[in-house]
């Protein structure tokens, strides 16, 4: 098509009047060539995506087959599906291209959901099949699925070993990967402990080699410390020592127990038990001497409050790692806006009922804070939480004035920040593409969501959050907010309760006696993760969340 444009256009010389015509023809040819290359690239990529989507659909159909007789096929299909979405599988080129078609944030949650499904099924027939999975490289085409499913079914029955007489050894070795499985499913610390206790019990039943049992019990002691349970950590170490025969290793365990004994003694004597347990959990039992000296009677020192604030500060989420904590029962991840939020008291090192935001006007950083919440995308839901403007009694900002010596003389910025509860949060981490014509990079799917905004001076809004696609950036430092519905004169108070109900495209927000309802143009705009968005100066706390799926 590009050559036909130029076929009859041959000039030995270009006169002044013909320049515009020549330029137009050349540009038309260039545009057509660029368009053709872009279409070919899209077709090539779509061919991969289309093929893999057909493979995934067929595996999903097998995973949904009913009846006990189909269980081995379901487990085999789930093993391959976890391989599709496990971000650790990105070293396979084809799977990387398939995953790049999706939001990488959603990919992680999808892999975890599938791995949980495998675990539930495998428990009912263990030790006939391994208990945990991290996935396997899936079939290349739909035509290969019957053969590969049959092969994986046989492999699971052999404990993922080549020889059937090594089956129990393979099942036992699988139990030692409990930590990696817990990470894949996004388990909280209590759930991680339960998984390790289960693995330890199963290894004992199988009479597995001592080194495998020791490995799991060693991790278990660390996880008990990660929830601040010194006595349980000591118990796990004692159980580990019963399996050990190496004198040097036994001496090391004895030293560890001596350190835990000292912690237990100080914990019994301090009048700040909750803070002590929280810092033990954060540091996994490794408290410095200077920190231990701060646990004296009376009000907590400035140093102790500062260390507690650091322990409660979330780390930012990245596609290659997954730091998270739990806001109530929902996993939460900081997407942007580091060093501006901390949680409330943490009950097990990860779980807290409160998220506290504070920004002082003297700080140069103006980036919005965005937190993604939830294990899976939601559509219809009923959510509620409380909003407090008055600082908590144990709050200490990450950047406190030097002259402040304690809570009594701590002066926070008196401003009132904006707070938004987000529904339909999606495309948190999508792939950047390049425009072949301009050579500029862009995001075809920038981060989007619907924000329920609680603004100063009694203003309640429903707004579209994020850039309209395509966009130059996935998210702006100060994110775009387009008002869809607004209500003024709302009476806000400290400790006010907020409720958000979503049914299809309809959103209903209730704050005290005020109500704001809005029907979005498309119902799918409300489908996605939940989130929180903070902006402005001052202090606010979002606490006591309750989320129900409808």
């Amino acid at each position: 098509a590009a050559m036909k444009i130029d076929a009859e256009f041959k000039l030995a010389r270009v006169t002044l009047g013909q320049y515009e015509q020549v330029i137009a023809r050349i540009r038309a040819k260039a545009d057509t060539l660029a368009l053709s290359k872009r279409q070919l690239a899209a077709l090539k990529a779509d061919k991969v995506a289309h093929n893999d989507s057909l493979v995934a659909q067929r595996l999903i159909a097998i995973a949904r087959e009913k009846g006990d007789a189909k269980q081995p096929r379901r487990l085999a299909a789930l093993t391959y599906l976890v391989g599709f979405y496990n971000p650790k599988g990105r070293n396979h080129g084809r799977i990387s291209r398939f995953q790049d078609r999706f939001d990488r944030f959603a990919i992680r949650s999808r892999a975890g959901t599938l791995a949980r499904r495998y675990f539930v099924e495998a428990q009912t027939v263990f030790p006939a099949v391994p208990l945990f999975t991290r996935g396997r490289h899936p079939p290349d085409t739909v035509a290969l699925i019957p053969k590969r499913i049959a092969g994986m079914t046989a492999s699971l029955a052999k404990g993922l070993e080549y020889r059937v007489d090594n089956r129990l050894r393979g099942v036992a070795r699988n139990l030692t990967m409990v930590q990696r499985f817990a990470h894949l499913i996004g388990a909280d610390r209590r759930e991680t402990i339960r998984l390790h206790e289960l693995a330890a019990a199963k290894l004992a039943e199988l009479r597995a080699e001592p080194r495998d049992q020791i490995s799991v019990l060693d991790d278990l002691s660390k996880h008990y410390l990660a929830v601040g349970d010194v006595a349980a950590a000591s118990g796990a170490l004692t159980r580990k020592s019963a399996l050990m025969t190496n004198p040097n290793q036994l001496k090391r365990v004895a030293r560890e127990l001596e350190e835990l004994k000292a912690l237990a003694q100080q914990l019994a004597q301090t009048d700040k038990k909750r803070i002590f347990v929280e810092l033990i959990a954060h540091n996994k039992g490794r408290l410095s001497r200077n920190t231990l000296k701060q646990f004296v009677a009376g009000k907590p020192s400035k140093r102790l409050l500062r260390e507690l604030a650091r322990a409660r500060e979330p780390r930012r989420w990245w596609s290659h790692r997954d730091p998270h904590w739990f806001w109530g029962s929902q996993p939460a991840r900081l997407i942007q806006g580091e060093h501006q939020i901390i949680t409330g008291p943490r009950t097990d090192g990860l779980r807290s009922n409160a998220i506290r935001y504070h920004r002082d006007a003297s700080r140069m950083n103006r980036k919005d804070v965005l937190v993604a919440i939830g294990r899976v995308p939601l559509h219809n839901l009923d959510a509620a939480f409380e909003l407090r403007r008055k600082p908590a009694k144990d709050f200490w900002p990450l950047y406190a004035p030097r002259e402040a010596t304690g809570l009594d003389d701590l002066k926070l910025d008196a401003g009132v920040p904006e707070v938004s509860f987000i529904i339909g949060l999606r495309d948190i981490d999508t792939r950047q593409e390049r425009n072949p014509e301009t050579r500029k990079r862009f995001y075809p799917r920038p981060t989007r969501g619907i924000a329920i905004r609680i603004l100063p001076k009694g203003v309640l809004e429903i707004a579209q959050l994020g850039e309209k696609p395509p966009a130059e950036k996935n998210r702006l430092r100060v994110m775009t907010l387009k008002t869809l519905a607004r209500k003024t004169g709302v009476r806000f108070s400290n400790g006010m309760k907020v409720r958000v109900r979503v049914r299809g495209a309809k959103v209903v927000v209730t704050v005290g006696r005020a109500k704001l309802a809005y029907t979005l143009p498309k119902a799918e705009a409300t489908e996605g993760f939940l989130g929180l968005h903070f902006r402005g100066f001052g202090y606010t706390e979002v606490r006591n969340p309750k989320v129900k799926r409808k």
Side-chain angles (χ1 to χ4, degrees), residues 76-102:
L78 287 167
T79 300
Y80 286 134
L81 283 169
V82 173
F84 256 125
Y85 297 108
N86 188 348
K88 295 295 184 183
R90 289 182 57 81
N91 58 331
H92 305 296
R94 179 174 67 88
I95 301 305
S96 296
R97 292 196 295 275
F98 180 74
Q99 291 183 5
D100 283 340
R101 291 278 163 169
F102 302 93

Side-chain angles (χ1 to χ4, degrees), residues 149-192:
I149 288 290
M152 180 54 67
T153 300
S155 182
L156 289 171
K158 292 188 292 186
L160 297 175
E161 293 285 340
Y162 288 108
R163 294 172 51 182
V164 69
D165 52 344
N166 286 339
R167 186 182 71 81
L168 289 179
R169 173 65 188 141
V171 170
R173 187 183 294 116
N174 172 266
L175 289 169
T176 64
M177 62 178 279
V178 56
Q179 177 55 42
R180 287 178 288 176
F181 178 78
H183 178 75
L184 176 62
I185 67 174
D188 66 16
R189 287 181 174 168
R190 291 292 179 186
E191 188 176 17
T192 299

Side-chain angles (χ1 to χ4, degrees), residues 299-369:
K299 293 181 180 180
S301 66
K302 173 182 176 180
R303 178 178 182 136
L304 193 59
L305 289 169
R306 185 170 63 240
E307 188 162 348
L308 193 62
R310 294 296 183 193
R312 294 173 178 176
E313 181 185 6
R315 291 181 298 159
R316 184 183 169 188
W317 182 89
W318 299 90
S319 59
H320 57 278
R321 58 185 177 88
D322 189 28
H324 64 280
W325 76 101
F326 284 79
W327 185 48
S329 62
Q330 300 292 322
R333 295 166 172 88
L334 177 64
I335 304 303
Q336 73 172 40
E338 301 93 317
H339 315 310
Q340 305 300 330
I341 64 169
I342 63 174
T343 70
R346 297 199 182 189
T347 55
D348 63 357
L350 280 185
R351 194 176 296 275
S352 175
N353 280 331
I355 296 177
R356 298 167 177 173
Y357 168 88
H358 175 258
R359 177 174 282 164
D360 192 282
S362 62
R363 301 294 300 170
M364 297 298 293
N365 187 3
R366 296 293 187 269
K367 182 185 284 189
D368 288 357
V369 174

Side-chain angles (χ1 to χ4, degrees), residues 211-311:
R211 64 178 181 182
D212 290 338
Q213 298 187 57
I214 289 171
S215 172
V216 171
L217 289 171
D218 187 53
D219 287 341
L220 182 59
S221 67
K222 295 173 183 175
H223 288 300
Y224 271 124
L225 280 176
V227 299
D229 194 336
V230 177
S234 301
L237 284 176
T238 304
R239 288 152 63 189
K240 182 178 93 166
S241 67
L243 298 165
M244 299 171 70
T245 56
N246 185 300
N248 291 328
Q249 291 178 346
L250 285 167
K251 289 178 181 178
R252 186 160 55 246
V253 170
R255 287 196 299 271
E256 291 176 1
L257 285 170
E258 286 286 349
E259 293 173 2
L260 293 182
K261 178 185 175 182
L263 278 180
Q265 288 174 338
Q266 188 157 357
L267 178 59
Q269 297 169 1
T270 184
D271 63 341
K272 301 177 181 60
K273 285 184 172 55
R274 183 183 57 76
I275 295 177
F276 198 94
V277 169
E278 197 169 344
L279 288 180
I280 288 175
H282 175 67
N283 295 285
K284 296 183 179 179
R286 302 292 181 181
L287 296 182
S288 68
R289 291 182 181 178
N290 286 333
T291 299
L292 291 172
K293 289 179 181 178
Q294 304 302 312
F295 285 94
V296 294
K299 293 181 180 180
S301 66
K302 173 182 176 180
R303 178 178 182 136
L304 193 59
L305 289 169
R306 185 170 63 240
E307 188 162 348
L308 193 62
R310 294 296 183 193

Side-chain angles (χ1 to χ4, degrees), residues 3 42 79 83 104 126 140 164 208 216 231 262 277 290 325 385 388 404-405 433 449 455 461 475 483 492 528 533 546:
M3 294 309 296
T79 300
R104 283 185 286 256
F126 181 86
D140 291 338
V164 69
V216 171
V277 169
N290 286 333
W325 76 101
F385 57 89
R388 297 185 67 86
T405 58
E433 294 184 9
L455 307 177
E461 280 190 358
R475 289 181 303 276
T483 302
F492 294 157
H533 175 264
K546 296 178 182 178

